[in-house]
Amino acid sequence: MKIKALSLLVFMACSPLLMAQSSMTDQQVLEYVKQGMSEGKDQRQMATELARRGVTREQAERVKKLYEQEQGVSTSKMSGTEQNEARLREATQEESTTSVLENPQPDSRELAQENQVFGRNIFNTRNLTFEPSVNLATPPNYRLGPGDEVIIDIWGTSQNTIRQQISPDGTINIEKIGPVSLSGMTVSEANEYLKRVLGKTYSGLDALDGTLEIRLTLGNARTIQINVMGEVVQPGTYALSSFSTVFHALYRAGGVNEIGSLRNVQVTRNGKTVAKVDVYDFIMKGKTQDDIRLQEGDVIIVPAYEALVQISGNVKRPMKFEMKKNETLATLINYAGGFSADAYTRSLRVVRQNGEEYEINTVKEIDYSAYPMRNGDVVTAEAILNRFTNKLEVRGAVYRPGIYQLNGEINTVRALVNEAKGLMGDAFTNRAVLQREREDLTTEIISVDVRSIMAGTSPDIPLQKNDILYIPSIHDLEDRGDVAIFGEVAKPDSYSYSDNMTLEDLIIRAGGLRESASTVRVDVSRRIKDPKSTHSTDSIGQMFTFALKDGFVIDGEQGFTLQPYDQVFVRRSPGYQAQQNVQVTGEVIFGGTYAMTTTEERLSDLVKKAGGATPKAYLRGAKLIRVANDEEKKRMRDVIDLMNRQFGKAMMDSLDIRVEDTFSVGIDLEKAMAQPGSEYDLVLREGDVLDVPKLNNTVKVNGAVMMPNTVGYLSDKNANYYLDQAGGYALNAKKSKKFVIYMNGQVARIKGRSKDKIEPGCEIIVPSKKNKRVNVGEILGYASSFGSLATMFATISNLIKK
């Protein structure tokens, strides 16, 4: 798919159709190309459509570069042969996303790998430096030179150690002997020479039966200078350890460049070529004998490659490989790691340049070892065909359905059924289906009388490759839908239908009746079924109603037999009620949880059950907390959505307002106790919590005032008094919109100079004008006093309205 998109972009960039000014962005063009390719559109058709939309050649070039950046591939770096091979692959590869044997299109990583030259990265990786080891013993054939440090140990009847560096003139200076020349000698030659020289000073050193021994070892090795020339990344002169080899020098030079050869690296010493290194021998075979140790003044020359060949498709290592003269296609396959499991190995396609134009060569398997490779060749290994040579399949009512091999033993319907371990008991043998593929790839259906064939009364049917035998089950040929049970049973669900299943059987399978189930009302709904009917009907179902006895047996019936798709509804008994609890806390005699005894139980009833209020109770400030049901939660969500639209989601997120499981209900417990059963005396609901507080003899002042404050309550003072205690109104105060929130959660507007609105424990809030931004911290301060989301919404709305 990625190759297709890339080739289309190249086509577009060269197309004369693209002339006008585009109204599409580069990204829109790229997405259009990707979408069109996924839908299988023709390239010329897409180019024409883009031209109509005004896509120019210049824009196509930009989109091509954008695509290359996304996918990590580049057509600009592809040779003409490679581009022609890519077009060939486009024409020959069939895209399929449904078959498990699909030949997948290469992704960007695979394309990037195909454009790499095998072996070139060996000299630019951090993990492979080819540094010589300093911990190995000095090789006996190592030749000493100026700069080397030698250590001469003498032991026996006399002991001494001489440690000196070979001077630029190639000598070391030994006491009592003078200069001794060691340059150019190997370590073993220097040992023998020193025995003779030092024997003049140390008696017994040079005799066969002497009592002294001498050993010369290398201390710090010298540094040598070598030249790396030719097609390397950084040619020049390098100072290396005298133990360094050709590979280390190539690593220091950054490896070969884009035209450098890995197969013919030459080492020149004193004007003569002393070694030729083939890096592929090291990579493929581990051979290091040509990786010789370098000497002072050596010149490493990296020539240009002779031939660079690419192999792609179904091989284990699809890449570019450098080939020597006369190396064959078989060698290239070996370099590529051989074929992958799904490769077609009988022939390979080679796209070659013949000096005038491109040509295609189809190379047979027998000629792989005789077909020489040339520079620029692109070899492609295709995938095997998406088909089987000997596949049979049996499905349906046999014991081992599946795929089988067509051979001399399994080649007829009877043999295939026997291989599948025979027919199951529910097999419908009167008519099976054999699907067969013709030579022109169309299919035909052959009816098979399996019963007669298995009994030997009808001739057996020979099978062909790709035949599919389907033997249906009798259950496949009839509609035996599940039955379902709903309502007051332990496990309401759908259950598979069985012959002679009764209503009692289904209730037992569903775990029996719940305690809340009604035994006088069980309904069964049944479909209208008349396959022989020739007229429409207004009826859409039948309903049967039964009473149960002892939980299961139908009262007055012998048993009701169910049919497929029946639905059973076990109703809830209207006389069943589970306990419903409420709670009272705070200033009551016996606080705690109480069970409701009637559906009309009220606030005053709950306080009486708790022994009444204590003398310290402030009934006017009592608060009722109620558990929200689904409908109330939906209303809360609607309020939050409205707030999001009015104030912005970012602001609401900062407030962290969420749908709560409970909410506050504004009540007046003082009037409820004074007038039991009145409209003030609210009916309780399961989960309600009544909190009766102590008297809070303060008043809070908040909002757009000079100094928010908490003030002691005075019964004869009005709202203005408390506002004065907070420094009066702020400049942005909305004086006419001030309101009060009471301890019980109720909210009221303050009008005029009425002092009746102020009660102990309440909070006076002064909203601010819209031209002053609402402070989030201020709103959060109000939130603790709001009785519900609706109250909060109304309050914040007042804060920002004009």
Side-chain angles (χ1 to χ4, degrees), residues 269-292:
R269 184 173 296 160
N270 299 324
K272 296 180 180 180
T273 300
V274 296
K276 291 185 177 181
V277 180
D278 186 343
V279 179
Y280 278 19
D281 283 343
F282 169 72
I283 298 174
M284 297 289 189
K285 304 173 185 177
K287 292 183 178 181
T288 58
Q289 62 266 29
D290 294 330
D291 187 23
I292 64 172

PDB file of all heavy atoms in Angstrom, residues 269-292:
ATOM      1  N   ARG A 269      51.995  -1.423   1.329  1.00  0.00           N
ATOM      2  CA  ARG A 269      53.142  -1.239   2.236  1.00  0.00           C
ATOM      3  C   ARG A 269      54.400  -1.104   1.390  1.00  0.00           C
ATOM      4  O   ARG A 269      54.719  -1.997   0.582  1.00  0.00           O
ATOM      5  CB  ARG A 269      53.243  -2.421   3.186  1.00  0.00           C
ATOM      6  CG  ARG A 269      54.333  -2.302   4.243  1.00  0.00           C
ATOM      7  CD  ARG A 269      54.223  -3.456   5.216  1.00  0.00           C
ATOM      8  NE  ARG A 269      52.966  -3.422   5.959  1.00  0.00           N
ATOM      9  CZ  ARG A 269      52.434  -4.466   6.575  1.00  0.00           C
ATOM     10  NH1 ARG A 269      53.047  -5.647   6.528  1.00  0.00           N
ATOM     11  NH2 ARG A 269      51.299  -4.341   7.224  1.00  0.00           N
ATOM     12  N   ASN A 270      55.089   0.035   1.541  1.00  0.00           N
ATOM     13  CA  ASN A 270      56.301   0.301   0.767  1.00  0.00           C
ATOM     14  C   ASN A 270      56.040   0.182  -0.739  1.00  0.00           C
ATOM     15  O   ASN A 270      56.850  -0.373  -1.506  1.00  0.00           O
ATOM     16  CB  ASN A 270      57.438  -0.644   1.171  1.00  0.00           C
ATOM     17  CG  ASN A 270      57.819  -0.484   2.619  1.00  0.00           C
ATOM     18  OD1 ASN A 270      57.804   0.636   3.152  1.00  0.00           O
ATOM     19  ND2 ASN A 270      58.145  -1.589   3.291  1.00  0.00           N
ATOM     20  N   GLY A 271      54.870   0.642  -1.178  1.00  0.00           N
ATOM     21  CA  GLY A 271      54.559   0.660  -2.598  1.00  0.00           C
ATOM     22  C   GLY A 271      54.019  -0.637  -3.147  1.00  0.00           C
ATOM     23  O   GLY A 271      53.718  -0.716  -4.343  1.00  0.00           O
ATOM     24  N   LYS A 272      53.873  -1.665  -2.318  1.00  0.00           N
ATOM     25  CA  LYS A 272      53.366  -2.948  -2.779  1.00  0.00           C
ATOM     26  C   LYS A 272      52.082  -3.304  -2.029  1.00  0.00           C
ATOM     27  O   LYS A 272      51.942  -3.003  -0.847  1.00  0.00           O
ATOM     28  CB  LYS A 272      54.404  -4.047  -2.575  1.00  0.00           C
ATOM     29  CG  LYS A 272      55.678  -3.854  -3.385  1.00  0.00           C
ATOM     30  CD  LYS A 272      56.654  -5.010  -3.122  1.00  0.00           C
ATOM     31  CE  LYS A 272      57.935  -4.820  -3.933  1.00  0.00           C
ATOM     32  NZ  LYS A 272      58.898  -5.932  -3.698  1.00  0.00           N
ATOM     33  N   THR A 273      51.166  -3.943  -2.747  1.00  0.00           N
ATOM     34  CA  THR A 273      49.918  -4.407  -2.119  1.00  0.00           C
ATOM     35  C   THR A 273      50.210  -5.688  -1.351  1.00  0.00           C
ATOM     36  O   THR A 273      50.611  -6.701  -1.944  1.00  0.00           O
ATOM     37  CB  THR A 273      48.839  -4.660  -3.176  1.00  0.00           C
ATOM     38  OG1 THR A 273      48.576  -3.438  -3.881  1.00  0.00           O
ATOM     39  CG2 THR A 273      47.549  -5.138  -2.520  1.00  0.00           C
ATOM     40  N   VAL A 274      50.044  -5.636  -0.026  1.00  0.00           N
ATOM     41  CA  VAL A 274      50.375  -6.790   0.812  1.00  0.00           C
ATOM     42  C   VAL A 274      49.135  -7.573   1.235  1.00  0.00           C
ATOM     43  O   VAL A 274      49.256  -8.696   1.741  1.00  0.00           O
ATOM     44  CB  VAL A 274      51.154  -6.348   2.066  1.00  0.00           C
ATOM     45  CG1 VAL A 274      52.489  -5.744   1.668  1.00  0.00           C
ATOM     46  CG2 VAL A 274      50.332  -5.342   2.883  1.00  0.00           C
ATOM     47  N   ALA A 275      47.935  -6.998   1.058  1.00  0.00           N
ATOM     48  CA  ALA A 275      46.721  -7.722   1.455  1.00  0.00           C
ATOM     49  C   ALA A 275      45.513  -7.089   0.772  1.00  0.00           C
ATOM     50  O   ALA A 275      45.502  -5.895   0.462  1.00  0.00           O
ATOM     51  CB  ALA A 275      46.529  -7.680   2.968  1.00  0.00           C
ATOM     52  N   LYS A 276      44.514  -7.955   0.498  1.00  0.00           N
ATOM     53  CA  LYS A 276      43.214  -7.510   0.016  1.00  0.00           C
ATOM     54  C   LYS A 276      42.157  -8.086   0.950  1.00  0.00           C
ATOM     55  O   LYS A 276      42.102  -9.302   1.151  1.00  0.00           O
ATOM     56  CB  LYS A 276      42.972  -7.966  -1.415  1.00  0.00           C
ATOM     57  CG  LYS A 276      43.865  -7.259  -2.435  1.00  0.00           C
ATOM     58  CD  LYS A 276      43.488  -7.666  -3.859  1.00  0.00           C
ATOM     59  CE  LYS A 276      44.347  -6.902  -4.868  1.00  0.00           C
ATOM     60  NZ  LYS A 276      43.996  -7.257  -6.272  1.00  0.00           N
ATOM     61  N   VAL A 277      41.358  -7.201   1.526  1.00  0.00           N
ATOM     62  CA  VAL A 277      40.394  -7.594   2.558  1.00  0.00           C
ATOM     63  C   VAL A 277      38.988  -7.589   1.969  1.00  0.00           C
ATOM     64  O   VAL A 277      38.574  -6.602   1.351  1.00  0.00           O
ATOM     65  CB  VAL A 277      40.472  -6.647   3.777  1.00  0.00           C
ATOM     66  CG1 VAL A 277      39.464  -7.060   4.835  1.00  0.00           C
ATOM     67  CG2 VAL A 277      41.883  -6.624   4.341  1.00  0.00           C
ATOM     68  N   ASP A 278      38.280  -8.712   2.183  1.00  0.00           N
ATOM     69  CA  ASP A 278      36.870  -8.821   1.798  1.00  0.00           C
ATOM     70  C   ASP A 278      36.053  -8.853   3.089  1.00  0.00           C
ATOM     71  O   ASP A 278      36.065  -9.847   3.823  1.00  0.00           O
ATOM     72  CB  ASP A 278      36.644 -10.097   0.981  1.00  0.00           C
ATOM     73  CG  ASP A 278      35.218 -10.180   0.423  1.00  0.00           C
ATOM     74  OD1 ASP A 278      34.346  -9.444   0.919  1.00  0.00           O
ATOM     75  OD2 ASP A 278      34.985 -10.983  -0.498  1.00  0.00           O
ATOM     76  N   VAL A 279      35.357  -7.735   3.379  1.00  0.00           N
ATOM     77  CA  VAL A 279      34.604  -7.623   4.632  1.00  0.00           C
ATOM     78  C   VAL A 279      33.489  -8.658   4.694  1.00  0.00           C
ATOM     79  O   VAL A 279      33.135  -9.144   5.771  1.00  0.00           O
ATOM     80  CB  VAL A 279      34.044  -6.196   4.797  1.00  0.00           C
ATOM     81  CG1 VAL A 279      33.231  -6.066   6.077  1.00  0.00           C
ATOM     82  CG2 VAL A 279      35.184  -5.178   4.794  1.00  0.00           C
ATOM     83  N   TYR A 280      32.927  -9.046   3.543  1.00  0.00           N
ATOM     84  CA  TYR A 280      31.861 -10.044   3.534  1.00  0.00           C
ATOM     85  C   TYR A 280      32.350 -11.394   4.058  1.00  0.00           C
ATOM     86  O   TYR A 280      31.576 -12.143   4.657  1.00  0.00           O
ATOM     87  CB  TYR A 280      31.294 -10.219   2.125  1.00  0.00           C
ATOM     88  CG  TYR A 280      30.254  -9.166   1.734  1.00  0.00           C
ATOM     89  CD1 TYR A 280      30.176  -7.954   2.421  1.00  0.00           C
ATOM     90  CD2 TYR A 280      29.366  -9.384   0.688  1.00  0.00           C
ATOM     91  CE1 TYR A 280      29.257  -6.994   2.065  1.00  0.00           C
ATOM     92  CE2 TYR A 280      28.425  -8.430   0.330  1.00  0.00           C
ATOM     93  CZ  TYR A 280      28.376  -7.227   1.017  1.00  0.00           C
ATOM     94  OH  TYR A 280      27.450  -6.280   0.677  1.00  0.00           O
ATOM     95  N   ASP A 281      33.643 -11.716   3.843  1.00  0.00           N
ATOM     96  CA  ASP A 281      34.178 -12.968   4.391  1.00  0.00           C
ATOM     97  C   ASP A 281      34.139 -12.959   5.910  1.00  0.00           C
ATOM     98  O   ASP A 281      33.900 -13.987   6.555  1.00  0.00           O
ATOM     99  CB  ASP A 281      35.621 -13.187   3.915  1.00  0.00           C
ATOM    100  CG  ASP A 281      35.691 -13.681   2.484  1.00  0.00           C
ATOM    101  OD1 ASP A 281      34.649 -14.147   1.982  1.00  0.00           O
ATOM    102  OD2 ASP A 281      36.778 -13.607   1.869  1.00  0.00           O
ATOM    103  N   PHE A 282      34.380 -11.769   6.492  1.00  0.00           N
ATOM    104  CA  PHE A 282      34.315 -11.663   7.950  1.00  0.00           C
ATOM    105  C   PHE A 282      32.861 -11.742   8.433  1.00  0.00           C
ATOM    106  O   PHE A 282      32.551 -12.441   9.401  1.00  0.00           O
ATOM    107  CB  PHE A 282      34.948 -10.343   8.401  1.00  0.00           C
ATOM    108  CG  PHE A 282      34.700 -10.007   9.838  1.00  0.00           C
ATOM    109  CD1 PHE A 282      35.333 -10.714  10.849  1.00  0.00           C
ATOM    110  CD2 PHE A 282      33.816  -9.000  10.186  1.00  0.00           C
ATOM    111  CE1 PHE A 282      35.091 -10.409  12.183  1.00  0.00           C
ATOM    112  CE2 PHE A 282      33.571  -8.691  11.510  1.00  0.00           C
ATOM    113  CZ  PHE A 282      34.212  -9.401  12.504  1.00  0.00           C
ATOM    114  N   ILE A 283      31.934 -11.036   7.746  1.00  0.00           N
ATOM    115  CA  ILE A 283      30.542 -11.005   8.182  1.00  0.00           C
ATOM    116  C   ILE A 283      29.873 -12.363   8.007  1.00  0.00           C
ATOM    117  O   ILE A 283      29.174 -12.858   8.896  1.00  0.00           O
ATOM    118  CB  ILE A 283      29.764  -9.928   7.403  1.00  0.00           C
ATOM    119  CG1 ILE A 283      30.355  -8.539   7.670  1.00  0.00           C
ATOM    120  CG2 ILE A 283      28.281  -9.931   7.795  1.00  0.00           C
ATOM    121  CD1 ILE A 283      29.745  -7.446   6.826  1.00  0.00           C
ATOM    122  N   MET A 284      30.114 -12.990   6.847  1.00  0.00           N
ATOM    123  CA  MET A 284      29.420 -14.230   6.516  1.00  0.00           C
ATOM    124  C   MET A 284      30.075 -15.463   7.110  1.00  0.00           C
ATOM    125  O   MET A 284      29.403 -16.401   7.547  1.00  0.00           O
ATOM    126  CB  MET A 284      29.326 -14.384   4.993  1.00  0.00           C
ATOM    127  CG  MET A 284      28.507 -13.302   4.309  1.00  0.00           C
ATOM    128  SD  MET A 284      26.753 -13.498   4.664  1.00  0.00           S
ATOM    129  CE  MET A 284      26.070 -12.298   3.536  1.00  0.00           C
ATOM    130  N   LYS A 285      31.422 -15.474   7.132  1.00  0.00           N
ATOM    131  CA  LYS A 285      32.138 -16.699   7.499  1.00  0.00           C
ATOM    132  C   LYS A 285      33.023 -16.533   8.732  1.00  0.00           C
ATOM    133  O   LYS A 285      33.594 -17.515   9.226  1.00  0.00           O
ATOM    134  CB  LYS A 285      33.005 -17.162   6.322  1.00  0.00           C
ATOM    135  CG  LYS A 285      32.217 -17.368   5.029  1.00  0.00           C
ATOM    136  CD  LYS A 285      33.136 -17.660   3.857  1.00  0.00           C
ATOM    137  CE  LYS A 285      32.357 -17.754   2.546  1.00  0.00           C
ATOM    138  NZ  LYS A 285      33.258 -17.970   1.389  1.00  0.00           N
ATOM    139  N   GLY A 286      33.174 -15.312   9.210  1.00  0.00           N
ATOM    140  CA  GLY A 286      34.034 -15.094  10.382  1.00  0.00           C
ATOM    141  C   GLY A 286      35.510 -15.158  10.075  1.00  0.00           C
ATOM    142  O   GLY A 286      36.341 -15.270  10.989  1.00  0.00           O
ATOM    143  N   LYS A 287      35.880 -15.068   8.816  1.00  0.00           N
ATOM    144  CA  LYS A 287      37.300 -15.139   8.457  1.00  0.00           C
ATOM    145  C   LYS A 287      37.990 -13.821   8.775  1.00  0.00           C
ATOM    146  O   LYS A 287      37.516 -12.754   8.399  1.00  0.00           O
ATOM    147  CB  LYS A 287      37.443 -15.454   6.962  1.00  0.00           C
ATOM    148  CG  LYS A 287      36.978 -16.852   6.572  1.00  0.00           C
ATOM    149  CD  LYS A 287      37.226 -17.086   5.093  1.00  0.00           C
ATOM    150  CE  LYS A 287      36.818 -18.493   4.680  1.00  0.00           C
ATOM    151  NZ  LYS A 287      37.063 -18.760   3.243  1.00  0.00           N
ATOM    152  N   THR A 288      39.153 -13.918   9.456  1.00  0.00           N
ATOM    153  CA  THR A 288      39.903 -12.710   9.831  1.00  0.00           C
ATOM    154  C   THR A 288      41.359 -12.765   9.380  1.00  0.00           C
ATOM    155  O   THR A 288      42.132 -11.876   9.720  1.00  0.00           O
ATOM    156  CB  THR A 288      39.877 -12.533  11.359  1.00  0.00           C
ATOM    157  OG1 THR A 288      40.437 -13.699  11.982  1.00  0.00           O
ATOM    158  CG2 THR A 288      38.470 -12.319  11.864  1.00  0.00           C
ATOM    159  N   GLN A 289      41.734 -13.799   8.589  1.00  0.00           N
ATOM    160  CA  GLN A 289      43.139 -13.925   8.228  1.00  0.00           C
ATOM    161  C   GLN A 289      43.610 -12.766   7.339  1.00  0.00           C
ATOM    162  O   GLN A 289      44.816 -12.435   7.331  1.00  0.00           O
ATOM    163  CB  GLN A 289      43.415 -15.260   7.525  1.00  0.00           C
ATOM    164  CG  GLN A 289      42.683 -15.466   6.215  1.00  0.00           C
ATOM    165  CD  GLN A 289      41.401 -16.203   6.426  1.00  0.00           C
ATOM    166  OE1 GLN A 289      40.781 -16.105   7.494  1.00  0.00           O
ATOM    167  NE2 GLN A 289      40.965 -16.943   5.404  1.00  0.00           N
ATOM    168  N   ASP A 290      42.698 -12.150   6.574  1.00  0.00           N
ATOM    169  CA  ASP A 290      43.103 -11.020   5.735  1.00  0.00           C
ATOM    170  C   ASP A 290      43.132  -9.700   6.489  1.00  0.00           C
ATOM    171  O   ASP A 290      43.614  -8.692   5.956  1.00  0.00           O
ATOM    172  CB  ASP A 290      42.152 -10.902   4.541  1.00  0.00           C
ATOM    173  CG  ASP A 290      42.273 -12.089   3.596  1.00  0.00           C
ATOM    174  OD1 ASP A 290      43.374 -12.658   3.510  1.00  0.00           O
ATOM    175  OD2 ASP A 290      41.269 -12.443   2.962  1.00  0.00           O
ATOM    176  N   ASP A 291      42.596  -9.700   7.716  1.00  0.00           N
ATOM    177  CA  ASP A 291      42.580  -8.482   8.523  1.00  0.00           C
ATOM    178  C   ASP A 291      43.935  -8.338   9.208  1.00  0.00           C
ATOM    179  O   ASP A 291      44.077  -8.552  10.413  1.00  0.00           O
ATOM    180  CB  ASP A 291      41.451  -8.545   9.550  1.00  0.00           C
ATOM    181  CG  ASP A 291      41.286  -7.240  10.311  1.00  0.00           C
ATOM    182  OD1 ASP A 291      41.702  -6.192   9.782  1.00  0.00           O
ATOM    183  OD2 ASP A 291      40.747  -7.272  11.426  1.00  0.00           O
ATOM    184  N   ILE A 292      44.956  -7.987   8.422  1.00  0.00           N
ATOM    185  CA  ILE A 292      46.339  -8.031   8.908  1.00  0.00           C
ATOM    186  C   ILE A 292      46.630  -6.872   9.849  1.00  0.00           C
ATOM    187  O   ILE A 292      45.947  -5.851   9.841  1.00  0.00           O
ATOM    188  CB  ILE A 292      47.334  -8.007   7.725  1.00  0.00           C
ATOM    189  CG1 ILE A 292      47.218  -6.678   6.968  1.00  0.00           C
ATOM    190  CG2 ILE A 292      47.081  -9.193   6.793  1.00  0.00           C
ATOM    191  CD1 ILE A 292      48.290  -6.505   5.910  1.00  0.00           C
TER     192      ILE A 292
END
